[in-house]
Structures are given as structure tokens and as C-alpha cells.
Amino acid sequence: MDSDLLLECRGLSIGYGKVPFLSGIDLFIRRGDFLALVGPNGAGKTTLLHTLMGLNRPVSGRVLRMTDLQVGYVPQKGTHDPIFPLSALDVVRGAGGGRGTSRLRLGAEDTARAALDQAGVSDLAGTLFRTLSGGQQQRVLLARALSRSPDLLALDEPTAGMDLPGERDLMDLVHRIALERGMAVVLVTHQLWLAARHARRIALVNKDLGQFVLGSTEELITSSRLSEAFGCPIEVVEGADTRWIVAGKHRPASREEPSS
């Protein structure tokens, strides 16, 4: 594998146990890539992400990873015990102090505090994680992932439950940090506008259709491609300086109808 290639899979089949629900997956990820996995609920996006990370075993095929590949993982909201009394700093330190080091090594707290600062929540270090808002919790989990000095940042629905400004701000921050550090990003999301805004490549995933389609964002964020992947009409409307993605047929407001 060349120095920029982080992982590669050819003819990969994913599923549970020995039963595949999606096959024929060919994929590579290089430094600086930003890949979004999109598709309907239950399409297999998280299973694919976990298989790429090594958390799930492939049903068949192999995932070849760079030696000592470091992955920073931001899981779906709600995977932490809300009762256990951890501070934001405790949550970040639980990820370890960095590449190939013990979580208890001297300086791990400094690394964690620096990651909290980069995620924009350094002032919350001593606050109980369970008392934070959803957006604040996701930034703490991002800091935990960043504390590993990752080559690859894996995000599983990181903006679930957040309002639109919070979604935008978090993903703009992720994109900026990824560019600064030269990291690759793999994002699982239902928010098609976020995928269109940030991803260089899109993978349309739908296990019920046996579908895995990989291409550039320009190729796949289209009305026909998205409608096929989601099994319902989706229209992509290009504006002067933005792109609108709507479910159903887009009908511009008339002069008699106030736009919402």
C-alpha cells in the first residue's frame, strides 16, 4: 500500500455472522478523503463503517489497512451511560493519550485538554458529561476522537438530534480540522445537505436493494440517484449559490403563497 492509502477493500461482503446483506463493495480511502455513506434507515451504513474500522468482521473479502492505522471514532448519540459520573475531560481521557500510548501516561491530561480546546469546548472540561446539551456532548466525543491523533476520523450520525446551526457548525469544524491535520473522514449521515456540503465522494448504500454505488458528490447528489437509493422521490434543486434537497416534488412558492 502506498503511503497515502489508509485502507482498501475489494469484493467485500458485510452482514451479521455468516449471512451477508450487501456484497460487491469496492472501496479505498486515502489521506485527505472525505467520504459520506448515505441511504435510508437500516441500509447497512453503520455496519459498513464498523467493518471498515475493524469492529465487525467481513462476511467475505478483506479490508487492507495501513500498518498502525489510527482511527478516531465518534459514535451515534446515546452510546454512553448517562448515569456514570464522568466529566467531559474524563470522557476524552478515556480514549487514550495518543498514538500507541497508554491512557494513563504522563501528559495524557494535557493532550485531552488540547483536544477539548480544538473542539471548542475547553471551558466544559470539568462539567459532567451527562449534563451537557446534545451538541456539547458531540463536541466532547469529537475531542475524544481527536485525542488519538487519528489518520481516519469515523463519524456515525454525529449531528443526530442537533438543530440546523449546530449541525452546520459541528461539521464545518470537522472539515476544517481534517484539512489542517490531513486526516481522512468517513461520515455516516441522513443529512444529505451535509454530505453535499462537505463530502468529496458519496457512497449510496441500501441493503434492501443490494445497492452500493460509489462516486463523486456531483455524480450522486442528483434527483434520480437519490430517489433510487431512498425509494422515494427526492429532488435536488440548484440555486444561485446553494443546493436544496427536498423529499417529494419541489414547487416554488407563487406570489400568492408565502414561502416558509
Side-chain angles (χ1 to χ4, degrees):
M1 299 177 71
D2 66 58
S3 59
D4 287 333
L5 188 61
L6 301 181
L7 64 84
E8 182 177 17
C9 52
R10 299 288 183 187
L12 180 68
S13 294
I14 63 172
Y16 304 116
K18 297 182 179 181
V19 180
F21 57 61
L22 195 60
S23 300
I25 298 171
D26 295 334
L27 177 66
F28 65 85
I29 297 174
R30 297 181 182 275
R31 294 187 188 277
D33 275 350
F34 199 124
L35 170 67
L37 308 180
V38 301
N41 286 331
K45 302 183 298 296
T46 295
T47 301
L48 175 56
L49 181 69
H50 287 176
T51 305
L52 296 177
M53 293 171 57
L55 298 178
N56 289 1
R57 295 184 63 181
V59 176
S60 62
R62 295 176 62 194
V63 180
L64 302 176
R65 301 180 186 86
M66 179 188 76
T67 302
D68 197 28
L69 176 68
Q70 293 294 315
V71 179
Y73 178 42
V74 179
Q76 290 184 9
K77 185 179 178 182
T79 57
H80 284 75
D81 189 340
I83 298 176
F84 201 64
L86 291 174
S87 70
L89 182 62
D90 291 332
V91 170
V92 176
R93 291 190 68 183
R99 185 184 298 267
T101 57
S102 166
R103 70 179 60 186
L104 297 178
R105 74 170 177 85
L106 184 65
E109 181 172 332
D110 292 340
T111 301
R113 289 186 181 277
L116 284 167
D117 182 62
Q118 190 163 33
V121 285
S122 58
D123 58 322
L124 300 177
T127 305
L128 286 178
F129 182 79
R130 69 189 184 201
T131 67
L132 301 177
S133 70
Q136 290 171 332
Q137 288 185 353
Q138 290 305 94
R139 283 181 177 254
V140 170
L141 295 179
L142 174 61
R144 187 183 71 165
L146 293 173
S147 74
R148 297 185 64 89
S149 298
D151 306 294
L152 171 64
L153 194 59
L155 311 173
D156 192 358
E157 295 288 352
T159 65
M162 298 174 65
D163 59 21
L164 285 174
E167 291 179 332
R168 180 200 60 212
D169 291 347
L170 180 65
M171 289 310 304
D172 284 356
L173 175 65
V174 166
H175 201 164
R176 177 176 60 79
I177 293 173
L179 288 174
E180 290 173 352
R181 293 194 177 191
M183 297 185 302
V185 178
V186 179
L187 167 69
V188 171
T189 185
H190 287 104
Q191 302 295 2
L192 295 174
W193 73 276
L194 286 176
R197 180 180 176 91
H198 294 290
R200 294 182 179 179
R201 292 187 297 156
I202 301 287
L204 299 178
V205 182
N206 190 332
K207 66 180 179 64
D208 293 333
L209 300 178
Q211 182 185 65
F212 176 84
V213 179
L214 180 66
S216 70
T217 301
E218 290 71 24
E219 291 172 329
L220 298 186
I221 297 294
T222 67
S223 300
S224 59
R225 289 288 199 176
L226 295 177
S227 297
E228 178 185 3
F230 283 83
C232 67
I234 295 178
E235 188 167 0
V236 179
V237 182
E238 299 288 347
D241 56 0
T242 190
R243 177 187 289 152
W244 303 89
I245 303 173
V246 295
K249 182 68 176 176
H250 174 66
R251 183 166 62 94
S254 69
R255 291 184 179 181
E256 291 77 22
E257 295 175 331
S259 59
S260 57

